[in-house]
Amino acid sequence: MSATTARSWFSSATEPNTPAGRRDTRDRPQKWGNPFTYFVALLFIGVCIAPVLYIVVGGFRTNSQITTSPAGLPHPWVVDNYINVLKSNTFWGEFANSVIVALASTIGIVVLGLMVSFVIARYDFKLKGAMYSLFAAGLMFPMVIAITPLYIVIKDLKLVDSLFGVIVPQIAFGLPTTVIILVPFLRAIPNEIEEAAAIDGASRLGFFVRMVVPLSLPGVVTVGILAFIGSWNNYVLPLYILNSQANFTLPLGVQAFSSQYSTDTAKVLAFTSLAMLPALVFFSVFEKRIVGGLTGAVKG
Amino acid sequence: MSDTLGTDTATGHRSQGTSRVGGAATSGSPTRPRPASRRRGRAKMRLEIALLSGPAIIMFLAFVIFPVALAAYYGFYRWHGYGAPTDWVGLNNYKLILTDPAFQQVLKHSFLIMGLSLVIQGPLAIVLALLLNQKIRGRSVIRVLIFVPYIISEVIVGTGWSLMLQSDGAVNDLLRHIGLGSLQADWLSNPKLAIWTLMGIISWKYIGFAVILMLAGLQSIPEELFEAAQIDGASYWQIQRRITLPLLGPTIRIWAFLSIIGSLQLFDLVYIIWGQYVSGTAGTSTMAIYMLAQGRNAGNYGYGSAIAVVMFLISLIVALIYQRFVLRRDLRGAVTEGVV
């Protein structure tokens, strides 16, 4: 870093480009920062959010408003579309199906994933490496590759057009990510804790239930959120397995609705908005966990 | 930091969790003596292992490995989906794939999507992450908002965008209103344009994920390195080029890996926006779409299965090459050696 002290045109509040002592860097960063940064940040947010806002706001318009001015704001704002969707049994039925499928899948993925990760992380046995590789390889199998045979398996189990037929494969396909995330978490639990538990008379299973589950909670929550959102958004599997509208999950519902009411754009937009709301709320509540999980860091 | 095992002095990472994304230098699992397990009865331990790992392994084998193997098996048959496959054709389906112009077309699309995803999203995400990593107000709000497109399901993204991009839709209307009427186009149905429309939607949906990942990578770079460089008189750009980018390397390489695999297996967005029949004529068809078109729609389940196998092999080969030449230093000791 000794070569040049060339000044850059780009001056930043946090990275002073002149040789600066520690005192300077301490004092400056807590300020508001560079306006250029805010401008780019706002622009970026605008690009990310505008289409979503279009969908939400679009639901407040009438179809004639959309036809005459597709990009305009509602004038006047109409709530009928939203009310109609909220009053429809179809929407709530599909909502309930999505909740059931997502909850059951999440519980299955977390419970089974935690158990097998514990074995891989804390037991010594010959097949340990093979077991880990098996799940790691599973990351390479997207559902879409196996969808046709999977359908046949589900059909043979007589689970076609039932929510179980979606839940069971979702658990299986969710396991690789879970194992990959949880194994490092579980291995990070200090051995001393396990030894102390053993001295206190706890069996390995007792240690698992009393110590491992609470200590790995951050990892478990991350995995659970990923599983829940993955299930909530899953499209391919329900598309194949579920045929009757009564069993549809929301993604299928959105598609069925938008082809059924293809001329009623405003209604489709209202339905779509309400369908994405739960995932957004869920995400904003757990945002820190998701981002924390992405760093894969164990802090504790 | 006194309690950490195997802390890398250069980066100050903890040895365990950061290894997947952040730590080129971290060493995975340090050797861990397990005196307790020696004394335990082998039989009891085996029972515990079986009880704890059995359900997951059975599920995984039955609903992931078995269907994939089944796809490989069907690939050797001419089979229309009724009854058990009987018409063994050996490698004929695979020979057919090699000369199938439609497959070459979708293969081209898939690789184009892969390349463009890397070229468009990568640099953009790095620049945005560098900007957003500064100490500005409302960082957490910003993080939530840019992640929104990634959280929304493909169905909703597809439905929303296809409404907006229709020839009489909001995008064209907006262009007319701001005086760019000449840019109005048939975004979805013009075969020359559609692939770029798709790239636009893909970039919009997945860039937030890239930025968040890069931001996470940036946070793991210790502050002292920047301070030291500043004291030595390094400029902003020098710091980014010589310190930030190299240390962000592992994150960038992991992101690129995820992006490559995701691109090669792209299905939902194309299927939802262009449907099962027009994606071919619109020039947006991918390998996965073609696989379903052959299998489910045309009834050539044997051929469709062979395409699935080829798709998997291509992903696997690309992944292996990538791991061998690009990810090697990141993964050493992290995933592979950490367990065995």
Side-chain angles (χ1 to χ4, degrees):
Chain A
M1 276 308 144
S2 57
T4 54
T5 50
R7 280 173 163 272
S8 112
W9 58 272
F10 184 90
S11 83
S12 143
T14 49
E15 317 282 3
N17 52 18
T18 48
R22 251 161 204 276
R23 216 169 292 132
D24 280 346
T25 54
R26 285 273 163 80
D27 290 341
R28 295 176 69 178
Q30 302 312 320
K31 302 273 188 318
W32 271 84
N34 192 336
F36 178 70
T37 309
Y38 286 98
F39 175 72
V40 176
L42 279 179
L43 199 69
F44 184 36
I45 290 173
V47 170
C48 288
I49 296 300
V52 180
L53 284 183
Y54 174 81
I55 296 173
V56 176
V57 171
F60 286 106
R61 303 190 293 177
T62 62
N63 280 308
S64 60
Q65 285 180 25
I66 293 179
T67 316
T68 46
S69 169
L73 278 175
H75 179 81
W77 292 65
V78 201
V79 288
D80 289 5
N81 296 313
Y82 280 102
I83 290 173
N84 284 337
V85 173
L86 287 175
K87 275 200 285 194
S88 80
N89 290 331
T90 316
F91 177 81
W92 289 111
E94 290 164 357
F95 182 88
N97 289 338
S98 273
V99 170
I100 293 168
V101 169
L103 280 182
S105 302
T106 305
I107 291 169
I109 289 172
V110 167
V111 171
L112 295 187
L114 191 62
M115 279 158 50
V116 73
S117 301
F118 178 67
V119 168
I120 293 175
R122 316 244 6 148
Y123 280 78
D124 268 328
F125 59 104
K126 260 192 209 146
L127 288 173
K128 188 166 82 160
M131 221 189 243
Y132 188 76
S133 307
L134 179 74
F135 285 106
L139 288 175
M140 292 295 301
F141 301 131
M143 212 174 248
V144 67
I145 282 185
I147 191 71
T148 308
L150 191 58
Y151 172 78
I152 293 165
V153 171
I154 298 294
K155 199 174 76 179
D156 288 345
L157 293 173
K158 308 254 183 295
L159 288 175
V160 169
D161 204 19
S162 98
L163 296 183
F164 268 115
V166 177
I167 292 167
V168 173
Q170 260 180 198
I171 294 174
F173 274 86
L175 285 172
T177 328
T178 312
V179 170
I180 299 291
I181 293 181
L182 284 185
V183 164
F185 257 95
L186 296 181
R187 209 181 287 131
I189 297 172
N191 247 22
E192 292 74 24
I193 296 185
E194 186 174 354
E195 279 156 22
I199 290 166
D200 290 348
S203 67
R204 186 85 75 107
L205 287 179
F207 168 69
F208 176 70
V209 175
R210 297 217 198 107
M211 301 300 299
V212 170
V213 174
L215 281 173
S216 58
L217 208 60
V220 168
V221 172
T222 301
V223 165
I225 293 162
L226 290 177
F228 190 91
I229 292 182
S231 165
W232 192 269
N233 291 342
N234 195 354
Y235 173 69
V236 184
L237 191 64
L239 177 74
Y240 265 68
I241 304 296
L242 307 173
N243 326 321
S244 51
Q245 180 123 28
N247 287 326
F248 276 7
T249 53
L250 273 175
L252 289 184
V254 167
Q255 246 218 335
F257 195 86
S258 67
S259 49
Q260 190 184 345
Y261 297 95
S262 56
T263 50
D264 197 344
T265 312
K267 206 172 183 179
V268 173
L269 290 172
F271 193 98
T272 310
S273 304
L274 291 170
M276 76 178 151
L277 209 58
L280 285 183
V281 170
F282 191 81
F283 167 68
S284 44
V285 171
F286 290 107
E287 173 262 338
K288 287 224 166 58
R289 288 277 177 221
I290 297 176
V291 176
L294 286 174
T295 67
V298 183
K299 294 177 179 116
Chain B
M1 295 298 273
S2 60
D3 60 331
T4 33
L5 301 154
T7 305
D8 182 85
T9 45
T11 60
H13 283 164
R14 289 229 169 166
S15 65
Q16 295 296 332
T18 49
S19 57
R20 279 184 314 113
V21 175
T26 52
S27 57
S29 164
T31 48
R32 216 178 257 286
R34 291 199 172 126
S37 68
R38 297 263 161 76
R39 290 192 292 269
R40 215 178 296 275
R42 293 303 282 184
K44 194 180 165 210
M45 191 179 98
R46 285 208 184 113
L47 182 69
E48 286 174 14
I49 291 174
L51 277 177
L52 287 171
S53 64
I57 289 178
I58 291 168
M59 287 276 278
F60 189 70
L61 290 177
F63 294 97
V64 180
I65 301 293
F66 178 65
V68 172
L70 212 53
Y73 169 74
Y74 291 147
F76 293 115
Y77 288 87
R78 183 182 296 119
W79 182 50
H80 297 293
Y82 308 106
T86 49
D87 197 356
W88 171 272
V89 292
L91 290 172
N92 256 10
N93 283 329
Y94 294 94
K95 284 182 194 151
L96 216 56
I97 289 175
L98 288 176
T99 54
D100 182 350
F103 183 77
Q104 285 160 14
Q105 195 66 32
V106 295
L107 188 65
K108 214 178 81 187
H109 292 160
S110 288
F111 273 90
L112 189 67
I113 291 167
M114 180 185 102
L116 287 174
S117 294
L118 291 177
V119 173
I120 297 172
Q121 291 176 49
L124 202 58
I126 293 170
V127 170
L128 286 167
L130 285 178
L131 267 170
L132 295 178
N133 195 40
Q134 297 178 29
K135 287 176 178 138
I136 55 174
R137 302 259 171 123
R139 269 210 310 205
S140 56
V141 179
I142 294 173
R143 279 200 314 205
V144 173
L145 292 178
I146 60 178
F147 217 41
V148 163
Y150 184 72
I151 293 302
I152 299 174
S153 77
E154 271 83 0
V155 172
I156 285 165
V157 169
T159 310
W161 275 108
S162 52
L163 280 173
M164 282 185 278
L165 288 165
Q166 278 162 5
S167 51
D168 56 351
V171 171
N172 279 341
D173 191 49
L174 190 70
L175 286 172
R176 199 172 59 237
H177 275 294
I178 58 174
L180 293 171
S182 57
L183 290 179
Q184 292 180 82
D186 276 335
W187 302 103
L188 298 173
S189 51
N190 180 341
K192 285 214 175 75
L193 209 56
I195 188 90
W196 295 98
T197 307
L198 175 64
M199 285 317 301
I201 299 170
I202 288 175
S203 309
W204 175 80
K205 178 153 171 53
Y206 296 108
I207 188 96
F209 175 72
V211 173
I212 295 290
L213 209 59
M214 308 274 180
L215 274 174
L218 286 175
Q219 316 257 282
S220 70
I221 302 175
E223 199 80 14
E224 299 88 61
L225 287 180
F226 299 119
E227 285 173 15
Q230 278 166 23
I231 291 168
D232 286 350
S235 74
Y236 177 78
W237 288 118
Q238 279 178 320
I239 291 175
Q240 304 312 332
R241 203 161 54 89
R242 304 267 179 85
I243 299 179
T244 315
L245 280 185
L247 287 177
L248 196 56
T251 313
I252 297 172
R253 291 191 283 271
I254 291 280
W255 166 77
F257 182 70
L258 296 175
S259 174
I260 287 170
I261 297 301
S263 304
L264 288 177
Q265 297 166 347
L266 183 72
F267 171 76
D268 299 31
L269 270 178
V270 178
Y271 188 84
I272 290 153
I273 299 175
W274 282 275
Q276 32 190 330
Y277 303 110
V278 294
S279 58
T281 50
T284 54
S285 206
T286 62
M287 285 191 282
I289 299 275
Y290 188 59
M291 177 195 99
L292 284 205
Q294 286 298 318
R296 200 191 201 194
N297 301 337
N300 299 323
Y301 283 94
Y303 192 55
S305 298
I307 294 171
V309 172
V310 169
M311 200 174 128
F312 168 68
L313 288 177
I314 290 174
S315 307
L316 187 70
I317 290 165
V318 170
L320 287 179
I321 292 174
Y322 191 86
Q323 285 193 345
R324 174 77 180 71
F325 291 103
V326 186
L327 279 185
R328 198 173 178 197
R329 43 194 160 157
D330 302 334
L331 292 180
R332 188 184 299 141
V335 175
T336 42
E337 289 167 28
V339 172
V340 192

